[in-house]
Amino acid sequence: MSKAVDAAMSASNKTTSALAIPASETSPTAASFLHYPYTRAALPFINGGLAGMTATTCIQPIDMIKVRLQLAGEGIKTGPRATPLSVTKDIIAQGKVMDLYTGLSAGLLRQAVYTTARLGFFDTFMTALKVRAETKGQGIGFKERAGAGLTAGGLAAMVGNPADLALIRMQSDGLKSKDLRANYTSVVDALVRISKTEGVYALWAGASPTIARAMALNFGQLAFFSEAKTQLKAKTQLSMQTQTLTASAIAGFFASFFSLPFDFVKTRLQKQQKGTDGKLPYSGMADCFRKVAKEEGLLRFYRGFGTYYVRIAPHA
């Protein structure tokens, strides 16, 4: 995440550096293109999206295991406890190793939409806050960073919810008996079929915990990374790379701690479908929190914390 944040937050600086190259080494067309306001405004969004998609390609198997861990033992408080190793073995035993990459197309689309938007919005908000602070002779503090992270995450999550829903449906499909599986061939196939059978509004199922998760995740990742990087730079003599890695580790922990319960509920709500009685297992976010706490225990919300942290780490 930290490299993605660095890329997003320093996009304008990189553009300026590119423009500083002597005219003899930079074509007028390229310089004119980079000077264009819309190009400079788009760079943080493009950098963020590409960084997120690259990370997803690496950590898709971990995300698959995380989702299966969250769905294991649904409605049961006792019994064998699923582990990352046991879940991995089950997935491979039921199919093949590449099944760990189930839903990759949905994951890439989600990053293209969600990560592009949240890092772009965050950079845009931070730039505006910096300009306003400078006019008052002040600096940007933790409160401003947190506000920018929360707002950017919430807006991006709403836009990216359909892709997120498709990802969960594709990853959880293998838990059903073979005769009940949807066997989605791609994210497009999943989105079209869900829209036809459940309605377009179904694509925004679980939007509330998705937004809450995104806001919590961004609060932990963007705000704590930015603050940790600032403090490390001011109070230590660590190299820039060490500062980045340390700030990333700190931000990753807080992001995981704050967002995992919402991520858990999001997974449960997006996976659910109406039963033979025509009813859904959970009526909403609050009902899911209540039932899981009662039937499975409060610690269930933090099941797979280590896996979740590792899932977030590559985004750093």
Side-chain angles (χ1 to χ4, degrees), residues 20-308:
I21 298 175
S24 60
E25 298 180 26
T26 305
S27 68
T29 302
S32 176
F33 178 73
L34 291 173
H35 263 303
Y36 200 60
Y38 291 110
T39 302
R40 300 187 67 172
L43 284 175
F45 292 81
I46 296 172
N47 286 340
L50 291 176
M53 293 174 74
T54 300
T56 290
T57 303
C58 299
I59 57 87
Q60 183 66 17
I62 298 173
D63 188 68
M64 176 70 167
I65 295 169
K66 184 269 297 182
V67 169
R68 291 294 182 87
L69 278 171
Q70 292 175 331
L71 296 175
E74 186 172 5
I76 303 174
K77 190 171 184 178
T78 59
R81 179 179 178 180
T83 66
L85 182 59
S86 66
V87 168
T88 302
K89 287 182 177 179
D90 287 342
I91 293 173
I92 296 176
Q94 292 176 18
K96 52 186 181 295
V97 174
M98 290 307 295
D99 285 348
L100 291 169
Y101 275 91
T102 298
L104 178 60
S105 61
L108 292 174
L109 176 61
R110 177 181 179 277
Q111 292 299 333
V113 177
Y114 169 68
T115 302
T116 296
R118 72 175 178 137
L119 291 179
F121 281 137
F122 181 73
D123 179 82
T124 301
F125 295 153
M126 287 295 290
T127 299
L129 289 170
K130 184 177 180 180
V131 171
R132 190 177 68 175
E134 288 178 347
T135 59
K136 297 180 180 179
Q138 301 174 347
I140 297 177
F142 180 78
K143 181 175 66 174
E144 287 77 17
R145 294 188 183 97
L150 288 169
T151 306
L155 290 173
M158 177 60 74
V159 177
N161 198 81
D164 206 353
L165 177 92
L167 175 62
I168 297 300
R169 290 292 183 87
M170 295 175 77
Q171 291 178 323
S172 64
D173 198 44
L175 293 173
K176 303 175 184 176
S177 57
K178 291 186 177 181
D179 58 316
L180 295 177
R181 292 176 185 175
N183 295 315
Y184 301 114
T185 57
S186 68
V187 62
V188 175
D189 179 47
L191 292 173
V192 171
R193 289 167 62 182
I194 293 171
S195 298
K196 286 183 177 179
T197 58
E198 303 174 46
V200 175
Y201 288 114
L203 296 177
W204 274 269
S208 295
T210 299
I211 293 173
R213 170 197 178 273
M215 294 177 74
L217 188 66
N218 276 269
F219 176 70
Q221 283 187 330
L222 301 180
F224 276 90
F225 171 78
S226 186
E227 182 68 17
K229 189 76 177 292
T230 299
Q231 295 296 330
L232 287 169
K233 185 176 181 179
K235 299 180 179 180
T236 70
Q237 298 298 319
L238 298 174
S239 66
M240 185 63 69
Q241 183 178 19
T242 303
Q243 288 178 21
T244 298
L245 293 174
T246 303
S248 175
I250 294 171
F253 173 82
F254 283 104
S256 300
F257 179 79
F258 290 133
S259 67
L260 184 53
F262 295 109
D263 185 84
F264 180 95
V265 172
K266 174 191 76 70
T267 298
R268 289 287 179 93
L269 290 179
Q270 292 181 330
K271 171 260 183 184
Q272 70 173 351
Q273 291 177 281
K274 292 181 179 180
T276 54
D277 59 356
K279 296 181 179 180
L280 293 170
Y282 310 107
S283 61
M285 181 170 68
D287 184 53
C288 184
F289 267 114
R290 181 181 61 80
K291 287 182 177 178
V292 171
K294 181 180 179 180
E295 299 171 3
E296 305 174 43
L298 290 173
L299 290 179
R300 185 61 61 90
F301 292 112
Y302 280 96
R303 169 180 281 184
F305 181 87
T307 303
Y308 187 61

